Amino acid sequence: MKKYDPSKIEKKWSAKWAKDKIYEADISSGTKPKWYQLVEFPYPSGDGLHVGHVRSYTAFDILSRKRRMEGNNVMYPMGWDAFGLPAESFAIKTGVHPSITTKKNIANYKKQINSLGLSFDWSKEVSTSDPKYYKWTQWIFLQLLKHGLAYKARMPINWCPKDKIGLANEEVVDGKCERCGTPVEKRDKEQWMLAITKYAERLDKDLDTADYPDRVKSQQKNWIGRSEGAEIEFLLDFKSKPKLNENRGPQGEKAAIKVFTTRPDTIYGATFVVLAPEHIWVTLATDNDHDVLDNKEEVKAYIKTATKRSEMDRTALGGEKTGILLRGVVAINPATSEEIPIWVADYVLPHYGTGAIMAVPAHDERDFDFAKSHNLPIRQVIEPIFIQETEPGKVRSDKEWVERVAITAIVKHWRDDKYIGLKWKKVNWETLITGGVENNQTPEEAALAEIREETGYQNLKFVKALPRTHAKFFHVPKDVNRFAHFYVLYFELQDDKRESLADGENDIHEIVWLTKSEMEKFHLPASHRYSWETLMNPSTLWTGEGIMINSDKFTGQSSQETKNEIVQFIGGKGVTRFKLRDWIFSRQRYWGEPIPVMYCRTCWEELGINNKELKEGQDYVLISGQEHLIVPVSEKDLPVKLPKVEKYEPTDTGESPLANIRSWVDVKCPICKGSATRETDTMPNWAGSSWYFLAFCIMDNLKSKELVSKEIFSDDVQSKFKHWLPVDWYNGGMEHTTLHLLYSRFWYKFLYDLKIVPTSEPYKKRTSHGIVLAEGGEKMSKSRGNVVNPDDIVKTYGADTLRLYEMFVGPFDQMAMWSSDGIIGPRRFLERIWKLADRVTNSQQPKANKIDSTIHKTIKKVSEDVEEMRFNTAVSSLMVCANELEKSESVSKEQLELFLKILAPFAPFVTEEIWHDLGNNNSIHTESWPEFDETLILEETSTIAVQVNGKTRATLVIKKGAEESVVVERAKAMEEVDKWLKDKTIIKTVYVKERIINFVLG
RNA sequence: GGGCCAGUGGUGAAACUGGUAUACACGCGAGACUUAAAAUUUCGUGACCGUAAAAGGUCGUGUGGGUUCGAUUCCCACCUGGCCCACCA
């Protein structure tokens, strides 16, 4: 009997598999259906493979192996996201070229991956830092440039003073650098930008049809931040410079401020206008050439302090909102024609909407805060509406609607600080006093009548009216849907004089006296809750929808339904806006793809800034820059390779170290043949990973010497894309939901528009895995010293054990905690399989039917679980099956082989070894996936739980398909059951076929 | 502040569409093998009451309610933990 020695067999088989190339995808075999399985490729860091990588790579290795066995042409590729900061930081410290470090790390990763038996197709390996690869990354950039989606802009960028690098908004977390935690500063810098916002609508809409988990979808939607609203113009009136009012724009229009709002229905409550400090009109109004403000210097001073503050400070302040009034000019509210003041305040963000808002303090918290601290008028124009969407009182679609004017009354105790609440008897309602208003009654009269009728108390003092409310709910006692318009009144009882209630009144509800804190816990319906809050805190805001008031001809209408009408009425325009901002694409770094453009001063001077397009051959598109003409590098000169440099630090001016390499920077201008300079910015990390899944499909073509355009539109590439795309299943980390996933979708859609790729979405299905935490539930990190190195585990237990353990540890999409105790379980399991095999090889035994049933059940369970990513329960069912096999007197070779086949994707090494020991010469991984036999799974008997009053008292084993009457008789006859039934009457018997029988006693 | 998710033995976790709660594994306890230990192996292992031992019973899926013959699963409220977003008009 051989001993199970993983180190021996694992080495042997990984060499053999590599030699036989059993995992290579083959496009030429057109008969097999394709399966493109993708996992996110790693950044090859110096720390080596993380056990988290092992978890997700193994999971989809299992799926890929299963797919292959099911007869698919599977591509499960791997590559390297090889540009990145760590290699560059290392270079700065040691002077070792990042390409050397990267190469070393890749070799290590590859060795580790192979030791795990992962079935990646290495013939498709790509590395983003390989010039043959980034030639194409640069080419895609040039296409973006040609199509107006790449542009330069002077932007206040997020600057990390420690890393000396500009950061994308996405890389700033809580105002700090995502990498090093240093607070981020603002700096003005000319940057390359990609106009991802032009794709915002499609990136949002196409999510609806994508098979992504809901949380991924909602995170993307949230990030894109689509909102529908309107742009509305507020005309300006220059009070102290009336002459300016006669100035007209080119179309004869008057000076105006355009605001963006999602709530045009609140315009009658817009009592002032607020501009962001960066707003272009403010910039103009405060420059030296203009003189429109009475307090220009003051405003300038404010803008200076406001813009100096980083975004962090601006958002962190929370409470106090600063701002300054523009003197000498007012805006005209287009709905009311009122003159309203204009303020500049930094709570308005320059990049969202138009950078200007109409402030409606009565219905917006930020505007409310601002109005309060600057003493600005607050005018209510919406009365809240509450639609009951939960029981009790949920609106019912099958019931008729009755609209009624009604009152809500809050009544205070004559002596104590207590208030009346009603507990309803026939419904589970807790409310304030409420009732209808008759035609001839004032609300006050109606409320008084209602209070006396429902409580019997007589002497009440009307104190004040509270804001009205409206509610839609189902009135349970009356059995109708009610649309109630409430007057809300507050009374104080004068004494305890009380008369007895009318007949029946006591049966409807009970009166309870509640303290303020008890009232907080009382389950009031939303409209009553709101009224209570307005009593306790008169400045309670309503920011939701409702019924319009104080709005001229719109008064009484629903705010939601009136939005469009109002926009029309005031001459506004409905628009859609996004939170998503354009992608800052420049990095002042060495270790990235050079941005393939040049700058020519001569051309710019000669051709002038307005000459936007000039062609010389097909390869040049010229775009006017700031002080240079931007000349894209000709396609035939791609790739623009990274030159060797001496020092890797960014320059003090924040330029990339490339700027110091004159021999590289100075080039000849392809147009004027004069001198030009290269762009020294490089692309961000996200560039290479935005299309790597395309590269896997066309590996051979990447090496081609043909021009990229020629190659990419070739029949060869096109047929490869048509064959493999879209990716069938893409798994990755939750942390890439907003950035990588969005960027790659954006590039893919762009390439779709160029008719390069065949579909508009790159990934058919996306899932994400949970992270692997260290033993104590902390994140694994070098500084904590709690990193688990997969190499050590492979050495001690073998790769198969590691694979099984990581699958078994818990649900794949949830986080998992590493446990050095738990890993012994899977190892013992494999040892037992090993021994089991010995028993079979030693003697041929006859078939045992019970074992067949067990195995086929397991085939079914494992097949289903793998598809649903329930790897943990798949492993557990394999264990259950093995336990049964062990217990059995005899296991045949055929039976064991079946079991090995379904275990093979999980533990590829042991299964291959045993498979060969059983006398097979081919690889088990080229076998086909077993199908389960339904007839073997079906059992002849079923076990029925016998319950009395819902409690299980016995179980009954009975033939399948037994009549209900038979089951009932047999169950009743059982001793354990009979003793509970004795002397009792059975009022009901519930029978669920083949599951339970429940006797309900009277 | 807003959104999403989770809470089950000593531990990681199972439980399909509302139908025998705790599968599988770790750990722990007892026995076998051994001079001994490790490894292996057999049995046991939710809590409480009960018994010499059984039999048997009650409780039990974060807390409190509800719907149901029956709830870990559905509904309401609350507590705790995690993740994401956060002046986006």
Side-chain angles (χ1 to χ4, degrees):
Chain A
M1 176 170 152
K2 283 201 293 184
K3 204 176 150 249
Y4 172 46
D5 181 359
S7 61
K8 234 186 229 165
I9 62 174
E10 289 177 2
K11 234 174 239 139
K12 177 176 82 184
W13 289 117
S14 47
K16 170 95 169 127
W17 295 332
K19 198 177 130 241
D20 294 350
K21 303 185 173 175
I22 62 171
Y23 304 128
E24 277 189 19
D26 179 14
I27 186 182
S28 59
S29 73
T31 50
K32 286 185 183 176
K34 68 102 183 181
W35 183 264
Y36 187 175
Q37 180 62 53
L38 188 67
V39 288
E40 283 171 356
F41 66 163
Y43 172 73
S45 77
D47 302 337
L49 208 64
H50 188 272
V51 284
H53 291 124
V54 178
R55 192 178 187 208
S56 58
Y57 295 172
T58 302
F60 290 93
D61 186 54
I62 290 166
L63 186 85
S64 297
R65 285 173 181 277
K66 176 166 178 274
R67 281 282 180 283
R68 269 187 219 107
M69 292 172 83
E70 285 168 336
N72 291 281
N73 183 23
V74 172
M75 177 156 69
Y76 187 38
M78 186 36 60
W80 317 105
D81 193 9
F83 278 127
L85 221 48
E88 183 157 338
S89 309
F90 187 74
I92 290 171
K93 250 187 266 163
T94 63
V96 178
H97 194 281
S99 73
I100 294 169
T101 322
T102 305
K103 215 168 158 184
K104 208 181 99 211
N105 292 345
I106 287 176
N108 183 41
Y109 263 67
K110 207 167 164 181
K111 195 196 86 218
Q112 290 184 297
I113 285 174
N114 281 332
S115 81
L116 291 164
L118 295 167
S119 64
F120 290 123
D121 177 354
W122 288 117
S123 69
K124 314 278 189 294
E125 178 181 359
V126 302
S127 168
T128 55
S129 63
D130 180 349
K132 288 195 181 79
Y133 179 95
Y134 69 66
K135 166 183 169 188
W136 295 57
T137 312
Q138 290 174 336
W139 180 82
I140 295 173
F141 175 84
L142 290 180
Q143 304 315 302
L144 288 159
L145 187 63
K146 275 190 191 175
H147 289 85
L149 293 166
Y151 63 96
K152 284 204 96 175
R154 200 163 181 83
M155 291 284 298
I157 60 150
N158 307 301
W159 179 259
C160 173
K162 183 162 170 279
D163 289 346
K164 292 184 186 168
I165 189 171
L167 302 169
N169 293 319
E170 293 87 325
E171 292 169 303
V172 181
V173 177
D174 282 340
K176 288 176 190 149
C177 172
E178 187 186 45
R179 290 194 185 84
C180 66
T182 312
V184 168
E185 293 171 1
K186 289 265 164 198
R187 262 208 200 179
D188 260 7
K189 195 131 186 71
E190 189 148 288
Q191 301 280 325
W192 280 102
M193 308 286 294
L194 294 190
I196 190 173
T197 50
K198 290 204 175 145
Y199 279 73
E201 181 79 48
R202 284 163 69 190
L203 288 168
D204 180 88
K205 207 185 91 217
D206 290 352
L207 281 173
D208 296 340
T209 53
D211 182 8
Y212 296 180
D214 285 344
R215 55 184 179 152
V216 171
K217 272 192 199 183
S218 66
Q219 257 190 56
Q220 283 226 357
K221 289 223 162 205
N222 193 357
W223 193 265
I224 296 166
R226 182 182 199 277
S227 63
E228 279 180 30
E231 282 181 0
I232 297 168
E233 287 199 339
F234 281 64
L235 293 180
L236 299 180
D237 191 349
F238 297 90
K239 282 293 170 192
S240 55
K241 308 271 185 315
K243 267 196 180 156
L244 289 173
N245 289 333
E246 284 148 35
N247 287 350
R248 290 289 195 271
Q251 259 83 51
E253 70 275 19
K254 286 190 72 177
I257 294 289
K258 200 185 269 176
V259 306
F260 174 68
T261 178
T262 54
R263 294 296 302 273
D265 49 298
T266 62
I267 193 162
Y268 286 87
T271 49
F272 55 103
V273 163
V274 189
L275 309 180
E278 296 87 347
H279 193 277
I280 182 70
W281 191 86
V282 182
T283 312
L284 290 173
T286 51
D287 71 14
N288 292 333
D289 302 338
H290 296 86
D291 187 24
V292 296
L293 300 176
D294 293 349
N295 58 342
K296 185 161 137 185
E297 290 312 314
E298 220 183 330
V299 174
K300 261 168 107 166
Y302 174 77
I303 292 169
K304 210 172 162 192
T305 49
T307 49
K308 236 199 329 208
R309 272 156 59 192
S310 70
E311 196 124 330
M312 168 85 171
D313 297 335
R314 238 159 119 165
T315 55
L317 271 169
E320 200 59 20
K321 287 184 167 52
T322 63
I324 187 158
L325 176 67
L326 299 184
R327 296 188 190 280
V329 58
V330 294
I332 312 293
N333 181 325
T336 62
S337 303
E338 277 173 307
E339 292 178 359
I340 57 176
I342 303 173
W343 286 73
V344 171
D346 64 5
Y347 81 91
V348 173
L349 303 173
H351 302 293
Y352 189 74
T354 58
I357 61 155
M358 62 178 211
V360 185
H363 303 291
D364 182 282
E365 265 172 67
R366 297 150 301 180
D367 298 343
F368 181 75
D369 289 346
F370 191 79
K372 262 205 323 203
S373 48
H374 296 90
N375 242 333
L376 294 159
I378 299 168
R379 187 191 303 144
Q380 190 193 3
V381 291
I382 305 281
E383 283 171 349
I385 187 163
F386 298 91
I387 298 166
Q388 187 73 28
E389 269 154 3
T390 54
E391 294 295 357
K394 186 178 170 181
V395 169
R396 301 198 186 167
S397 54
D398 57 326
K399 299 288 181 183
E400 78 173 300
W401 281 95
V402 176
E403 200 164 343
R404 264 194 103 174
V405 177
I407 58 98
T408 301
I410 302 176
V411 178
K412 185 172 177 283
H413 195 267
W414 60 91
R415 188 185 61 232
D416 302 337
D417 192 16
K418 286 184 174 177
Y419 304 82
I420 293 182
L422 298 180
K423 274 192 168 172
W424 292 62
K425 291 192 170 157
K426 283 173 193 148
V427 209
N428 185 20
W429 268 358
E430 294 180 334
T431 67
L432 299 167
I433 294 165
T434 179
V437 176
E438 304 304 329
N439 276 339
N440 51 1
Q441 283 177 317
T442 65
E444 195 181 326
E445 286 164 358
L448 282 169
E450 202 67 47
I451 295 166
R452 285 175 184 140
E453 201 177 293
E454 290 184 1
T455 71
Y457 289 108
Q458 296 300 309
N459 291 328
L460 293 134
K461 189 180 106 192
F462 171 66
V463 182
K464 65 174 171 182
L466 296 165
R468 294 192 59 187
T469 63
H470 307 261
K472 287 183 173 180
F473 59 98
F474 178 67
H475 197 297
V476 181
K478 302 241 159 88
D479 196 39
V480 289
N481 283 321
R482 167 70 38 96
F483 186 7
H485 306 285
F486 291 116
Y487 287 93
V488 184
L489 303 105
Y490 174 54
F491 294 90
E492 285 172 1
L493 262 176
Q494 298 302 290
D495 54 43
D496 60 352
K497 190 173 165 236
R498 190 175 181 191
E499 283 175 11
S500 58
L501 300 182
D503 280 353
E505 197 64 45
N506 262 324
D507 301 337
I508 302 176
H509 32 55
E510 176 195 345
I511 297 160
V512 282
W513 284 104
L514 304 165
T515 62
K516 280 179 184 167
S517 66
E518 283 165 343
M519 189 63 96
E520 291 301 321
K521 287 179 197 141
F522 211 49
H523 290 151
L524 293 173
S527 62
H528 289 197
R529 168 68 52 210
Y530 177 82
S531 295
W532 171 256
E533 276 165 14
T534 53
L535 176 66
M536 291 298 109
N537 174 14
S539 62
T540 300
L541 273 204
W542 181 250
T543 56
E545 302 291 341
I547 304 293
M548 299 172 64
I549 57 166
N550 297 329
S551 302
D552 291 353
K553 64 173 186 172
F554 298 106
T555 294
Q557 297 194 28
S558 147
S559 62
Q560 203 157 12
E561 289 156 25
T562 311
K563 278 180 189 165
N564 290 338
E565 212 181 313
I566 289 208
V567 173
Q568 291 241 316
F569 173 67
I570 53 178
K573 187 175 87 184
V575 291
T576 306
R577 287 283 176 180
F578 299 90
K579 277 198 260 183
L580 187 71
R581 295 191 209 165
D582 278 347
W583 177 6
I584 300 174
F585 201 66
S586 288
R587 295 299 122 97
Q588 291 71 44
R589 286 274 145 186
Y590 172 74
W591 191 229
E593 302 88 344
I595 291 175
V597 300
M598 298 168 275
Y599 298 97
C600 181
R601 175 98 194 166
T602 320
C603 284
W604 175 71
E605 277 167 356
E606 280 177 17
L607 300 167
I609 198 162
N610 290 323
N611 193 342
K612 293 214 166 161
E613 200 168 320
L614 178 82
K615 282 183 187 168
E616 183 187 300
Q618 285 292 357
D619 290 336
Y620 299 115
V621 171
L622 306 175
I623 296 163
S624 62
Q626 303 268 316
E627 290 169 9
H628 297 86
L629 201 68
I630 297 170
V631 185
V633 169
S634 160
E635 192 180 318
K636 68 177 192 314
D637 296 330
L638 294 180
V640 177
K641 285 195 197 165
L642 279 170
K644 289 232 171 7
V645 299
E646 305 267 305
K647 280 172 61 196
Y648 298 93
E649 286 99 336
T651 65
D652 290 336
T653 55
E655 278 178 301
S656 145
L658 294 174
N660 289 331
I661 316 298
R662 294 317 310 177
S663 60
W664 182 79
V665 170
D666 294 330
V667 286
K668 200 162 90 176
C669 174
I671 300 164
C672 67
K673 311 296 177 197
S675 63
T677 56
R678 283 194 191 281
E679 171 64 81
T680 59
D681 282 357
T682 53
M683 300 187 198
N685 241 140
W686 311 107
S689 60
S690 290
W691 72 278
Y692 76 109
F693 54 97
L694 300 177
F696 290 133
C697 308
I698 53 165
M699 216 33 237
D700 300 334
N701 309 83
L702 293 186
K703 296 168 192 157
S704 161
K705 293 226 166 59
E706 297 278 354
L707 292 178
V708 181
S709 310
K710 198 162 174 193
E711 186 69 25
I712 206 161
F713 288 105
S714 70
D715 291 348
D716 187 32
V717 165
Q718 286 300 301
S719 78
K720 283 172 182 167
F721 281 158
K722 277 211 182 78
H723 184 259
W724 288 115
L725 296 170
V727 171
D728 290 283
W729 191 335
Y730 187 23
N731 184 77
M734 212 46 205
E735 70 274 20
H736 291 133
T737 302
T738 40
L739 309 182
H740 162 64
L741 208 57
L742 205 58
Y743 292 152
S744 59
R745 290 180 61 223
F746 162 46
W747 277 33
Y748 192 87
K749 281 181 185 302
F750 170 65
L751 295 175
Y752 173 68
D753 292 346
L754 297 187
K755 301 200 167 31
I756 289 169
V757 294
T759 56
S760 65
E761 278 289 323
Y763 319 117
K764 232 188 216 162
K765 175 176 179 150
R766 163 83 183 188
T767 55
S768 50
H769 52 253
I771 57 168
V772 178
L773 299 174
E775 202 113 22
E778 284 180 312
K779 244 181 128 165
M780 283 190 195
S781 72
K782 256 207 254 172
S783 56
R784 287 200 184 90
N786 57 6
V787 177
V788 177
N789 184 346
D791 291 348
D792 297 340
I793 308 297
V794 169
K795 220 175 182 175
T796 320
Y797 296 98
D800 283 333
T801 300
L802 175 58
R803 292 170 61 109
L804 277 171
Y805 171 69
E806 292 219 29
M807 292 301 96
F808 187 57
V809 67
F812 180 72
D813 57 351
Q814 281 165 40
M815 61 157 206
M817 233 189 284
W818 185 266
S819 154
S820 47
D821 287 333
I823 195 157
I824 191 71
R827 171 63 193 247
R828 284 180 189 153
F829 166 67
L830 292 177
E831 297 269 10
R832 294 213 305 274
I833 303 295
W834 188 264
K835 283 185 197 159
L836 191 65
D838 261 342
R839 261 174 61 197
V840 174
T841 41
N842 293 343
S843 62
Q844 286 289 344
Q845 266 123 353
K847 277 204 166 186
N849 236 327
K850 204 181 148 220
I851 293 300
D852 283 332
S853 164
T854 307
I855 291 175
H856 280 261
K857 257 190 229 160
T858 310
I859 295 173
K860 180 167 192 264
K861 174 86 175 137
V862 170
S863 301
E864 288 166 359
D865 280 356
V866 168
E867 295 301 319
E868 301 293 320
M869 300 199 302
R870 291 192 298 254
F871 303 102
N872 53 333
T873 51
V875 173
S876 122
S877 68
L878 286 164
M879 286 173 168
V880 171
C881 183
N883 290 346
E884 293 286 321
L885 295 182
E886 266 186 334
K887 270 188 229 151
S888 156
E889 295 271 308
S890 64
V891 177
S892 73
K893 181 169 171 261
E894 288 73 25
Q895 288 170 331
L896 182 66
E897 284 183 348
L898 265 184
F899 178 75
L900 287 177
K901 283 185 197 174
I902 54 172
L903 177 62
F906 296 83
F909 295 108
V910 220
T911 48
E912 183 81 313
E913 180 74 13
I914 300 175
W915 177 255
H916 281 78
D917 283 350
L918 289 171
N920 295 293
N921 293 321
N922 64 332
S923 168
I924 190 170
H925 305 299
T926 58
E927 283 289 308
S928 58
W929 185 255
E931 281 189 25
F932 61 91
D933 184 341
E934 193 79 54
T935 59
L936 288 172
I937 290 175
L938 285 177
E939 307 224 356
E940 285 166 14
T941 59
S942 47
T943 310
I944 293 169
V946 184
Q947 301 182 333
V948 178
N949 276 347
K951 283 196 176 135
T952 304
R953 296 302 180 181
T955 53
L956 175 64
V957 179
I958 202 159
K959 261 221 171 81
K960 275 253 159 101
E963 289 284 320
E964 177 174 349
S965 58
V966 177
V967 178
V968 170
E969 282 318 303
R970 288 274 304 276
K972 274 187 187 164
M974 293 174 87
E975 205 185 317
E976 308 94 303
V977 180
D978 183 59
K979 88 180 187 201
W980 293 97
L981 298 179
K982 227 184 279 173
D983 310 326
K984 305 268 168 59
T985 20
I986 297 171
I987 55 165
K988 196 173 169 187
T989 303
V990 181
Y991 176 61
V992 181
K993 209 175 153 219
E994 257 115 63
R995 272 183 204 268
I996 62 124
I997 178 148
N998 188 10
F999 298 109
V1000 185
L1001 302 180

